[in-house]
Amino acid sequence: MTDSTPARPVVIDVWCELQCPDCRTALDDVRALRARYGDRVELRLRHFPLEKHKHSFAAAQAAEEALAQGRGWPYVEAVLGRVEELDRGGEPFLVASARDLGLDAEEFDTALVDGRHILIVDADQAEGKAIGVTGTPTYVVGGERLDGGKSQDGLRERVEAIVDGLLGAEG
């Protein structure tokens, strides 16, 4: 095989909660992974809303609507970058953030009312609990769970070591 790019990208599940300050901090790691690996990895947003954050469930649904409108990660980054505003503003802030990104804000508002994304969020949360996710951010790559909610020190390096190993095995 002359092409060194694997047929399928390595999947990194990023268990995230949009009202979580630690997830905001982890955005630098997500950006660095995206920059280092490009299309050799697929960063998948997985939802793990925490009960202690009253807007986190709505934020997860809003992120799914952003994904449906083709701007999932930009929306996630925009909301996480303004966690304090989400704390204060709730659903109106989520809709305004969509409008700021040029998304269909009316559709966001409707999606939050009709609950069209609830099943996805519930399924992610159930899967997260089943595999031992207890906080956010948590990464799952190559079958290994890395908990960034306890400490993010060295976390990106551990993710990169796993990805490098997987890419080396495929190349």
Side-chain angles (χ1 to χ4, degrees):
M1 189 160 119
T2 56
D3 185 6
S4 63
T5 304
R8 289 181 306 192
V10 172
V11 173
I12 303 173
D13 282 332
V14 182
W15 298 87
C16 185
E17 198 248 62
L18 297 191
Q19 207 172 347
C20 171
D22 289 335
C23 288
R24 174 176 53 197
T25 303
L27 275 179
D28 288 339
D29 288 341
V30 168
R31 289 182 187 115
L33 291 167
R34 198 179 287 133
R36 176 172 176 169
Y37 296 107
D39 61 5
R40 294 180 298 157
V41 299
E42 177 187 350
L43 291 161
R44 283 196 315 202
L45 176 65
R46 305 300 300 272
H47 304 288
F48 201 78
L50 302 170
E51 287 182 19
K52 67 182 178 179
H53 295 138
K54 67 180 179 178
H55 303 300
S56 63
F57 194 78
Q61 293 176 72
E64 281 299 313
E65 181 58 31
L67 194 63
Q69 291 190 30
R71 302 284 314 272
W73 279 107
Y75 183 81
V76 166
E77 291 187 25
V79 172
L80 278 174
R82 298 161 62 194
V83 167
E84 294 81 5
E85 290 179 61
L86 174 56
D87 288 345
R88 291 190 305 272
E91 289 186 20
F93 167 77
L94 295 169
V95 173
S97 295
R99 186 176 299 110
D100 292 347
L101 285 173
L103 297 170
D104 184 340
E106 284 184 28
E107 197 61 30
F108 264 76
D109 196 36
T110 302
L112 290 171
V113 171
D114 71 18
R116 68 183 73 159
H117 302 296
I118 287 175
L119 292 178
I120 294 169
V121 176
D122 282 347
D124 275 2
Q125 193 167 37
E127 183 180 337
K129 287 178 181 175
I131 64 170
V133 174
T134 57
T136 56
T138 295
Y139 301 86
V140 176
V141 57
E144 188 170 339
R145 189 182 76 244
L146 303 167
D147 185 356
K150 293 185 175 71
S151 172
Q152 294 184 54
D153 294 339
L155 186 62
R156 185 172 78 217
E157 292 78 9
R158 294 195 313 261
V159 171
E160 288 173 346
I162 295 168
V163 171
D164 288 345
L166 291 170
L167 290 173
E170 293 178 8

